[in-house]
Amino acid sequence: MPRRGYVVLTGLMLCWLLAGMNAGAVNAEAGEAVQGAGAGLPGQAETAEGIDAPALTGRSAAQRLDEAAEALYGYVLEGDVVKARQESDKVSQIFVSSSFEGLTTVEGINALSDVIIDLKAALAAVQPAPQKWEASAAKLRLAANSLNHPRQPMWLQYYKLIREDLNDMEQSAAANDLKSWQAALERLQSRYDNIRPAVIISRPPETVKAFDSWLSYAAGVPAASQPAGRSRLIEIISYGQDAARVMFGKEKDEPALSLPLAPQSYGAWGLLAGGFIIAALAYAAYRKYRGENEEWKPI
């Protein structure tokens, strides 16, 4: 091959090598650019992280709501309205982003929603109202606790107070004192208003309706055209006692709310009659025992 052919062949080989090196560099730069672009995509890590993170179940949502409601109640008692408002926003976010299916009824969800709305409205009011804030925060705390602890909710502790109010109403009925009856009923109504959303969450609708109906009827007794008599008032109280017992899940043989009966006095003739009966029973037992011993003979 002539010298000129070698020069041409060597030049072609050198161009081919340079072209291959440039292509590798371009591919490497392109790979780095793609990796850099992938790393720089906003939210990609959070998306993957969100996919791997477990979904918020109803039970865990109820626990978070209970904790937030307890914290909010503490801020209200401390008078820290700013933190209370922030915590109320957190409560709303938990409620909106969670599903409580299987934990309560539709009525319970609506009751919880109404409590949250009333609380936020109270905290957003222009005029300070500490008593209203505390009452609204207490309702929310009891409602959230009832959702998180359906078997042993805090509102069951109100049973003793409700019993005392019913007992006061019964004493007023025995004395036919409608004024005292109404005062005791108003105290009972106020306490029941605090726990009613929590009761709706953890009790069947018919149980709540039964107690609501009794309260409504009892409240109309003092304003009736014909005043109820003593026996009728005591009868109405017995209905309320049964409704409260069912609502709080108490057994019927537990201590009743009725007035204690006065001890009976039998007198001398009663004691004499009782002694005669005891002597007759003892004599009959002795005759039976003696007859059995006389008839039985050993072999």
Side-chain angles (χ1 to χ4, degrees):
M1 182 180 295
R3 181 183 181 92
R4 184 177 179 181
Y6 282 111
V7 173
V8 173
L9 181 60
T10 302
L12 290 174
M13 291 179 65
L14 183 60
C15 291
W16 178 76
L17 289 175
L18 291 175
M21 291 176 65
N22 290 334
V26 170
N27 290 336
E29 291 178 359
E32 290 178 0
V34 171
Q35 290 180 0
L41 286 176
Q44 184 175 3
E46 288 111 11
T47 304
E49 208 176 304
I51 295 174
D52 296 334
L56 189 64
T57 62
R59 180 58 59 190
S60 59
Q63 183 177 358
R64 287 184 57 190
L65 185 67
D66 189 12
E67 293 172 353
E70 184 177 0
L72 190 151
Y73 183 71
Y75 292 142
V76 170
L77 292 182
E78 294 172 359
D80 195 337
V81 184
V82 176
K83 288 186 178 180
R85 288 171 179 169
Q86 294 175 353
E87 203 68 29
S88 68
D89 293 338
K90 181 178 178 181
V91 168
S92 299
Q93 184 179 4
I94 295 173
F95 178 80
V96 172
S97 61
S98 303
S99 173
F100 302 106
E101 184 178 359
L103 299 182
T104 185
T105 59
V106 176
E107 291 83 358
I109 296 295
N110 292 334
L112 181 59
S113 175
D114 292 341
V115 170
I116 295 174
I117 293 173
D118 292 341
L119 174 65
K120 291 181 70 67
L123 292 174
V126 178
Q127 295 294 333
Q131 292 183 351
K132 190 173 183 180
W133 296 341
E134 185 175 347
S136 300
K139 286 183 182 180
L140 176 61
R141 186 186 182 191
L142 290 170
N145 176 269
S146 181
L147 188 68
N148 191 30
H149 302 281
R151 295 185 178 180
Q152 199 64 29
M154 291 174 59
W155 67 266
L156 292 179
Q157 299 175 4
Y158 276 70
Y159 183 56
K160 182 180 179 181
L161 299 175
I162 298 294
R163 284 182 56 184
E164 292 176 356
D165 293 333
L166 287 170
N167 192 36
D168 291 342
M169 291 181 67
E170 190 174 31
Q171 292 177 358
S172 301
N176 203 12
D177 185 358
L178 287 179
K179 186 176 181 180
S180 299
W181 161 291
Q182 189 169 3
L185 180 63
E186 289 175 357
R187 290 195 303 270
L188 190 153
Q189 180 73 61
S190 177
R191 286 166 176 163
Y192 178 65
D193 288 342
N194 290 333
I195 66 173
R196 188 174 183 273
V199 176
I200 296 175
I201 289 173
S202 57
R203 288 291 185 264
E206 56 271 16
T207 301
V208 182
K209 289 180 181 178
F211 197 79
D212 287 348
S213 299
W214 175 82
L215 269 179
S216 178
Y217 182 80
V221 169
S225 57
Q226 295 182 351
R230 176 178 176 274
S231 59
R232 178 55 180 165
L233 292 177
I234 294 177
E235 184 182 7
I236 294 172
I237 286 296
S238 67
Y239 294 149
Q241 293 168 355
D242 290 339
R245 176 183 54 81
V246 173
M247 183 174 65
F248 283 91
K250 300 296 182 180
E251 298 295 334
K252 197 167 186 177
D253 57 352
E254 293 192 15
L257 305 180
S258 58
L259 296 175
L261 297 176
Q264 298 180 359
S265 56
Y266 296 98
W269 286 105
L271 295 175
L272 183 61
F276 177 77
I277 294 173
I278 293 174
L281 293 174
Y283 179 73
Y286 170 73
R287 290 292 302 271
K288 182 179 180 181
Y289 171 76
R290 184 178 178 182
E292 290 177 352
N293 288 340
E294 290 178 354
E295 293 176 0
W296 182 80
K297 296 180 181 180
I299 300 176

